[in-house]
Amino acid sequence: MNEIDELNTIIEEIRQEGVVPSENWELVARKRLEIRKFARMVKEKSKPLVDELNAKGYKVESVWDLDQEGYDILPIVPMLLRHFQLPYPRRTREGILKALNKPELSKMVVNPLIRLFISEQDKAVQIGIGGVLARICEPEHTDDLVKLATNANYGEARHFLPRGIARIQQQKAIPILVDLLDQKDFGAEVIEALGEVGGVDAAALILPFTKDKDSYVRSIAKKAYKKCSIGKVSKCSSMQTSGLIEADFAYETSGEFDLDDLGPFLELAQSTFALSIDAKLVMDSVESANVNEEIKLSVRTKSGKYSAEILLKILKEDEDVCSIFLFSGSKITIKRWDTLLNQLMNGLKKE
């Protein structure tokens, strides 16, 4: 089919869709034609890679299918790294990076990717390599990651590296991130990384940026600052909470509370406060709950001679994240739970 016939075919497709006004049919058709031509070019130039994948039993039409179909790519990692260094279109090389972007491949791919990051000439691909390194590097790769992140010659290609340093070093990353704040190619990226580290020290560094003249930096800083705190205590207006208790104070987790941390939190709360609940049964209820379903528990807590009733709500926001809400007539009770949550999260970060 020649280009004119293909263009007319696409125009007919658009006409039948009935969404685009008739005066724009040709304009939209030409854009679609360019996309299809580009896709054909990528497919043609990537044929050696796809042929080798198929020869090894991976029935794919594109390298991107490796990730979508959930193939085990461990046996072909060396092959993918070899093809990554060939002059394929950027789209193909990005597909190879996507396939390699798995923490379980860290020991095999980090060192080769560090070398490729250093030698890469395509800035967009170099940024992509940095993104993979940020996600899969292990603590033993810290020195290499810091060398890349602090080398101004790599410019904006270092975009994702601060988050990688924050992920593997936690509180120890703060001095490194402070140094990066002074480099012109960084800004919001380092603030985001500080938010991932969390804690009082990170919050103090982020706070000035919540009033930055750049609206984007302000927005990022406010989100990062919120992440530095596990939650917040607030006053209620003597509200009646589901007929269980009258609450004057509330506690709400901020940011995203990992569902994997809920079990340890409930067990710690049970041992600390002698809760009148079975932590395992609660966790089972939350895990089996639907997304956006709320679990409500009337709980009596005891700490020494002090006891109080609270309403504990756990909202399952999605399969991996939940929010915790506490209501009580006692500010002391709420504060104790707040302290417990912060202790738990700090302990998890140290691990």
Side-chain angles (χ1 to χ4, degrees):
M1 182 184 296
N2 61 40
E3 187 170 310
I4 294 177
D5 288 341
E6 186 174 5
L7 185 64
N8 288 332
T9 300
I10 296 173
I11 290 174
E12 179 60 23
E13 291 173 3
I14 295 169
R15 185 189 70 79
Q16 291 182 8
E17 289 169 4
V19 178
V20 179
S22 57
E23 61 268 24
N24 295 331
W25 284 353
E26 185 173 348
L27 177 63
V28 174
R30 289 191 179 279
K31 289 181 179 178
R32 288 192 187 180
L33 178 60
E34 289 304 310
I35 292 171
R36 293 183 187 184
K37 287 166 65 177
F38 174 76
R40 288 197 292 267
M41 179 274 293
V42 170
K43 184 175 182 179
E44 180 182 348
K45 291 191 174 183
S46 304
K47 192 173 184 299
L49 170 59
V50 174
D51 286 349
E52 188 167 348
L53 286 170
N54 279 277
K56 291 183 178 295
Y58 297 83
K59 304 304 180 184
V60 297
E61 295 184 5
S62 160
V63 67
W64 288 86
D65 295 338
L66 286 175
D67 191 65
Q68 295 171 5
E69 300 298 328
Y71 284 110
D72 175 16
I73 68 165
L74 190 63
I76 58 169
V77 166
M79 185 198 85
L80 291 175
L81 287 169
R82 173 168 51 84
H83 277 276
F84 183 78
Q85 299 173 69
L86 299 178
Y88 287 118
R90 181 187 296 169
R91 175 70 178 167
T92 301
R93 301 183 73 211
E94 288 173 344
I96 295 174
L97 282 178
K98 176 69 173 174
L100 296 173
N101 191 12
K102 295 176 175 59
E104 60 268 26
L105 301 178
S106 176
K107 295 190 184 304
M108 292 186 68
V109 305
V110 166
N111 289 331
L113 286 179
I114 288 173
R115 293 192 292 270
L116 290 167
F117 179 93
I118 293 170
S119 62
E120 182 57 50
Q121 299 300 306
D122 185 326
K123 189 65 69 176
V125 174
Q126 196 176 31
I127 291 173
I129 298 173
V132 176
L133 290 173
R135 182 167 185 259
I136 70 173
C137 273
E138 299 292 343
E140 60 263 31
H141 304 121
T142 299
D143 289 345
D144 291 317
L145 210 56
V146 171
K147 284 179 183 178
L148 297 181
T150 55
N151 190 333
N153 292 327
Y154 298 125
E156 62 182 358
R158 303 171 292 164
H159 180 91
F160 293 108
L161 299 182
R163 273 180 269 180
I165 296 170
R167 180 180 60 80
I168 60 180
Q169 286 294 296
Q170 291 298 321
Q171 294 293 323
K172 293 179 182 178
I174 290 180
I176 304 166
L177 297 175
V178 169
D179 290 341
L180 292 178
L181 274 174
D182 296 330
Q183 296 201 19
K184 67 176 184 178
D185 294 307
F186 287 122
E189 297 83 10
V190 178
I191 295 169
E192 283 182 317
L194 286 167
E196 294 299 323
V197 171
V200 176
D201 292 339
L205 292 166
I206 294 168
L207 187 58
F209 292 98
T210 61
K211 297 181 180 179
D212 196 90
K213 62 181 180 180
D214 186 317
S215 61
Y216 176 70
V217 172
R218 285 200 309 273
S219 173
I220 293 296
K222 287 176 181 177
K223 292 177 182 177
Y225 186 76
K226 187 178 180 183
K227 278 189 172 183
C228 288
S229 174
I230 303 303
K232 62 182 180 181
V233 178
S234 59
K235 289 198 72 172
C236 300
S237 301
S238 212
M239 61 180 287
Q240 194 76 18
T241 53
S242 304
L244 294 174
I245 61 170
E246 190 174 275
D248 295 306
F249 300 95
Y251 176 90
E252 173 188 353
T253 52
S254 61
E256 296 183 341
F257 190 80
D258 197 321
L259 201 61
D260 289 339
D261 298 333
L262 181 59
F265 165 64
L266 291 172
E267 289 175 4
L268 184 60
Q270 189 175 28
S271 62
T272 304
F273 297 133
L275 297 190
S276 57
I277 60 171
D278 184 322
K280 186 178 185 306
L281 287 177
V282 176
M283 190 61 195
D284 289 344
S285 297
V286 176
E287 287 181 336
S288 61
N290 297 319
V291 173
N292 291 324
E293 185 176 343
E294 192 175 63
I295 308 297
K296 300 178 183 179
L297 301 159
S298 180
V299 181
R300 179 157 292 278
T301 70
K302 187 172 183 180
S303 181
K305 295 181 180 180
Y306 182 85
S307 64
E309 186 182 16
I310 65 168
L311 175 68
L312 171 62
K313 292 184 180 180
I314 304 169
L315 174 65
K316 187 173 181 181
E317 295 186 0
D318 61 37
E319 293 302 320
D320 302 311
V321 173
C322 66
S323 289
I324 298 172
F325 302 87
L326 299 170
F327 300 92
S328 174
S330 166
K331 187 175 184 178
I332 294 175
T333 298
I334 292 291
K335 283 288 190 181
R336 285 179 175 173
W337 280 76
D338 176 46
T339 300
L340 188 70
L341 253 170
N342 278 281
Q343 287 175 345
L344 172 75
M345 297 311 294
N346 287 334
L348 288 172
K349 284 180 178 180
K350 287 175 184 176
E351 293 174 5

